[in-house]
Amino acid sequence: MNQIPVKDVTPKKKPTVDQYQPNSKIYVRAITGFFQKLRTISLWGLMIGYFALPFINWNGHQAVWFDLPTRQFHIFGTTFWPQDFMLLSWLLIICAFGLFTITTLAGRVWCGYTCPQTAWTFLFMWVEEKIEGNRNQRIKLDKAPSSANKVTKKAAKHVIWIFIAFATAVAFVGYFYPIRELLPDMAQFEVSSGWAIFWLGFFTLATYGNAGWMREQVCIYMCPYARFQAVMFDQDTLIVSYDEARGERGSGRGARKKGVDPVEAEIGDCIDCNLCVQVCPTGIDIRDGLQYECIGCALCIDACDSIMDKMDYDRGLIRYTNEHALKGKEVHILRPKLVGYALVLILMIGAFGYTLVDRTPMELDIIRDRGSLYTNSSDGRVQNNYTIKIMNMAQEPHHFTVTVSGLDNSELKGKTNVQLKNGEIGTLTMSLLATPWELKKSRTDLQFSVTRDDGLTLTEESRFIGPAGR
């Protein structure tokens, strides 16, 4: 008897795709060129400014010092307080719109030329190259068995990396802990703040890990900008692009002898040397088109231009361009989205600048005694009591005087002046007396003014309560 075959109904396992690819070390090849020089200047300028700024004094303070215990933020002679938090919010919004505008115009130039992750990664890579050699030497060293030479080079590299990471942490903590006190305290192992020690260790490890080990993984997986920057791109955005029509002409890319005319030979200008891939810090092939991993550093442009020079071909096979230009279409530099971003950015910068210039470095708070509406003095006048709080928000001591206006023939009794140090709050208790027939209504609006010794004046409104107007 024949048996009927049974169909296998066991569900087949579906293939899975890892969202996070294992880290494969990228051996970046050094290259020289115009964009490499431009980036070197910008990144070194960024690092020099970062390390030097805590050591610059301004009016007796660090030029930039975030004094958290006293809640004072000193920035180039101006002191900001928690009450100025709105200014910080404005500044962050301005920075965001600035990034949107630059991205819409020129892609990820922020990442390639000014991003701290890029700056410190290139510094660590420079140290690695100086100790372990060029790209081929580093590959050979990593594949070689353990030896005294290999261990010595690896150890020297990591020691220098840790030193740079520690210096980075010291500079960072120096923005919050006076660096002229921090360095002697560290030398004598007397750092008084436990938080300072914690942040020194944390930022040392963070810098060492991010710039030394994770490198492109931070740009690819951790940086949110890499994920949403494409939303701001359009067909007129200036980006690093490969001219496929020129590079893949005829039979496509391929090796050839120097002097061969690619047009006559009906071949592409790309000789498939892969130098553009070897110099890319994120390990992509720009010839595959725009990819979110591209940080716009233009290393591939310098690499390709150097090959084009050797082959006596025109430069620009890889260049800063846009999709419309590559397709031979009309390029629109001024487009609605870019103009909109730019206008909003200009308006916000103008409003922020005006607010900053018009900002008064003192605070006045008028508290009227709510225990009673009013009292009558012994001479029959109506009396209201007030508590005046004055805060000196400047970086130097000042003398303040209080005056009142809005009620004719009134008399202000009590101490009306005070000397305040930087950040000090002065409290004055005073009484305002007025004759009943001067009161035209039960509530009279007043203006209390506090005048600083240099003439700067701040005014706040209050009220005087009395019997019904007569």
Side-chain angles (χ1 to χ4, degrees), residues 4 24 71 91 115 145 185 187 240 274 301 304 347 361 367 370 375 428 438 440 469:
I4 300 175
S24 179
R71 295 176 177 85
L91 184 60
C115 176
D185 287 351
V240 177
N274 283 326
I301 297 180
C304 187
L347 290 175
I367 305 173
R370 294 180 175 85
T375 59
L428 301 175
E438 294 288 347
K440 296 180 175 57

Side-chain angles (χ1 to χ4, degrees), residues 80-289:
F80 295 91
W81 298 80
Q83 296 91 327
D84 299 314
F85 179 79
M86 185 58 68
L87 292 176
L88 175 61
S89 302
W90 278 28
L91 184 60
L92 294 177
I93 295 174
I94 289 173
C95 291
F97 267 85
L99 187 62
F100 298 161
T101 305
I102 293 297
T103 302
T104 303
L105 177 65
R108 293 183 66 178
V109 292
W110 156 263
C111 297
Y113 295 88
T114 54
C115 176
Q117 172 67 20
T118 302
W120 267 257
T121 296
F122 272 88
L123 176 59
F124 276 46
M125 290 167 56
W126 178 79
V127 171
E128 186 176 56
E129 182 181 2
K130 293 301 179 183
I131 295 176
E132 297 184 0
N134 59 33
R135 180 177 184 271
N136 292 333
Q137 291 172 330
R138 296 198 303 273
I139 295 175
K140 183 178 179 180
L141 181 66
D142 284 351
K143 291 181 178 180
S146 296
S147 63
N149 179 58
K150 182 175 182 178
V151 171
T152 300
K153 288 185 176 182
K154 293 290 184 181
K157 177 183 72 174
H158 287 282
V159 166
I160 296 177
W161 279 3
I162 293 174
F163 174 79
I164 295 173
F166 181 70
T168 302
V170 170
F172 180 84
V173 174
Y175 285 96
F176 301 87
Y177 186 113
I179 199 163
R180 298 180 188 277
E181 300 176 14
L182 176 63
L183 295 179
D185 287 351
M186 289 172 49
Q188 300 173 14
F189 300 97
E190 294 181 358
V191 179
S192 56
S193 173
W195 281 110
I197 297 175
F198 169 79
W199 288 115
L200 283 172
F202 177 83
F203 273 93
T204 298
L205 292 176
T207 305
Y208 174 69
N210 287 347
W213 291 92
M214 301 180 69
R215 294 185 179 178
E216 77 284 347
Q217 302 293 302
V218 175
C219 302
I220 297 174
Y221 296 104
M222 297 174 62
C223 178
Y225 181 49
R227 299 294 178 175
F228 70 76
Q229 46 91 17
V231 178
M232 291 168 278
F233 282 17
D234 56 39
Q235 292 180 317
D236 291 296
T237 298
L238 195 65
I239 54 177
V240 177
S241 301
Y242 169 67
D243 191 343
E244 186 176 358
R246 175 183 162 187
E248 310 293 327
R249 181 194 304 113
S251 58
R253 70 182 79 150
R256 80 288 305 267
K257 294 181 179 180
K258 181 178 179 180
V260 173
D261 189 335
V263 177
E264 294 181 357
E266 296 184 351
I267 55 177
D269 285 14
C270 178
I271 66 172
D272 204 19
C273 62
N274 283 326
L275 188 60
C276 58
V277 180
Q278 296 176 17
V279 300
C280 179
T282 58
I284 65 171
D285 189 341
I286 194 63
R287 296 172 296 181
D288 294 335

Side-chain angles (χ1 to χ4, degrees), residues 153-447:
K153 288 185 176 182
K154 293 290 184 181
K157 177 183 72 174
H158 287 282
V159 166
I160 296 177
W161 279 3
I162 293 174
F163 174 79
I164 295 173
F166 181 70
T168 302
V170 170
F172 180 84
V173 174
Y175 285 96
F176 301 87
Y177 186 113
I179 199 163
R180 298 180 188 277
E181 300 176 14
L182 176 63
L183 295 179
D185 287 351
M186 289 172 49
Q188 300 173 14
F189 300 97
E190 294 181 358
V191 179
S192 56
S193 173
W195 281 110
I197 297 175
F198 169 79
W199 288 115
L200 283 172
F202 177 83
F203 273 93
T204 298
L205 292 176
T207 305
Y208 174 69
N210 287 347
W213 291 92
M214 301 180 69
R215 294 185 179 178
E216 77 284 347
Q217 302 293 302
V218 175
C219 302
I220 297 174
Y221 296 104
M222 297 174 62
C223 178
Y225 181 49
R227 299 294 178 175
F228 70 76
Q229 46 91 17
V231 178
M232 291 168 278
F233 282 17
D234 56 39
Q235 292 180 317
D236 291 296
T237 298
L238 195 65
I239 54 177
V240 177
S241 301
Y242 169 67
D243 191 343
E244 186 176 358
R246 175 183 162 187
E248 310 293 327
R249 181 194 304 113
S251 58
R253 70 182 79 150
R256 80 288 305 267
K257 294 181 179 180
K258 181 178 179 180
V260 173
D261 189 335
V263 177
E264 294 181 357
E266 296 184 351
I267 55 177
D269 285 14
C270 178
I271 66 172
D272 204 19
C273 62
N274 283 326
L275 188 60
C276 58
V277 180
Q278 296 176 17
V279 300
C280 179
T282 58
I284 65 171
D285 189 341
I286 194 63
R287 296 172 296 181
D288 294 335
L290 178 63
Q291 297 146 76
Y292 77 90
E293 296 94 339
C294 177
I295 62 173
C297 65
L299 281 171
C300 54
I301 297 180
D302 285 335
C304 187
D305 284 348
S306 68
I307 297 299
M308 294 296 102
D309 290 343
K310 293 178 180 178
M311 297 298 295
D312 291 329
Y313 295 167
D314 292 336
R315 289 186 167 197
L317 180 59
I318 301 176
R319 63 185 185 273
Y320 277 113
T321 186
N322 56 59
E323 188 175 343
H324 276 161
L326 287 174
K327 294 180 179 180
K329 297 182 179 180
E330 183 181 359
V331 177
H332 303 88
I333 298 178
L334 298 178
R335 52 241 194 231
K337 181 167 64 173
L338 178 61
V339 172
Y341 280 142
L343 286 177
V344 173
L345 180 62
I346 292 172
L347 290 175
M348 288 193 299
I349 292 176
F352 179 81
Y354 174 79
T355 303
L356 197 61
V357 172
D358 192 55
R359 171 179 171 271
T360 304
M362 59 181 171
E363 188 171 289
L364 174 62
D365 190 13
I366 312 297
I367 305 173
R368 185 185 171 279
D369 183 11
R370 294 180 175 85
S372 61
L373 291 178
Y374 62 89
T375 59
N376 292 316
S377 64
S378 58
D379 57 2
R381 290 187 294 178
V382 181
Q383 176 176 316
N384 281 202
N385 298 320
Y386 301 89
T387 300
I388 314 296
K389 291 189 175 182
I390 306 170
M391 183 177 185
N392 181 16
M393 301 170 65
Q395 292 189 346
E396 56 280 331
H398 282 288
H399 185 83
F400 299 87
T401 303
V402 178
T403 56
V404 64
S405 61
L407 186 58
D408 295 336
N409 299 320
S410 60
E411 181 184 0
L412 188 62
K413 284 189 173 183
K415 187 179 179 181
T416 59
N417 52 77
V418 64
Q419 180 80 17
L420 298 177
K421 299 178 181 178
N422 168 34
E424 187 178 3
I425 299 176
T427 301
L428 301 175
T429 302
M430 55 190 66
S431 301
L432 185 63
L433 297 93
T435 53
W437 52 83
E438 294 288 347
L439 303 176
K440 296 180 175 57
K441 51 186 177 180
S442 60
R443 290 181 46 165
T444 304
D445 293 333
L446 302 174
Q447 291 77 41

Side-chain angles (χ1 to χ4, degrees), residues 16-68:
T16 60
V17 178
D18 292 332
Q19 296 298 317
Y20 179 86
Q21 299 296 326
N23 183 21
S24 179
K25 185 174 180 179
I26 298 176
Y27 296 89
V28 179
R29 181 170 177 170
I31 193 69
T32 58
F34 172 77
F35 294 106
Q36 171 66 6
K37 293 178 181 177
L38 186 63
R39 185 177 50 261
T40 300
I41 293 173
S42 66
L43 296 183
W44 276 111
L46 174 70
M47 283 188 287
I48 291 173
Y50 171 80
F51 285 109
L53 205 53
F55 292 95
I56 300 175
N57 275 0
W58 194 292
N59 292 340
H61 295 289
Q62 287 183 196
V64 179
W65 178 29
F66 305 106
D67 190 359
L68 296 181

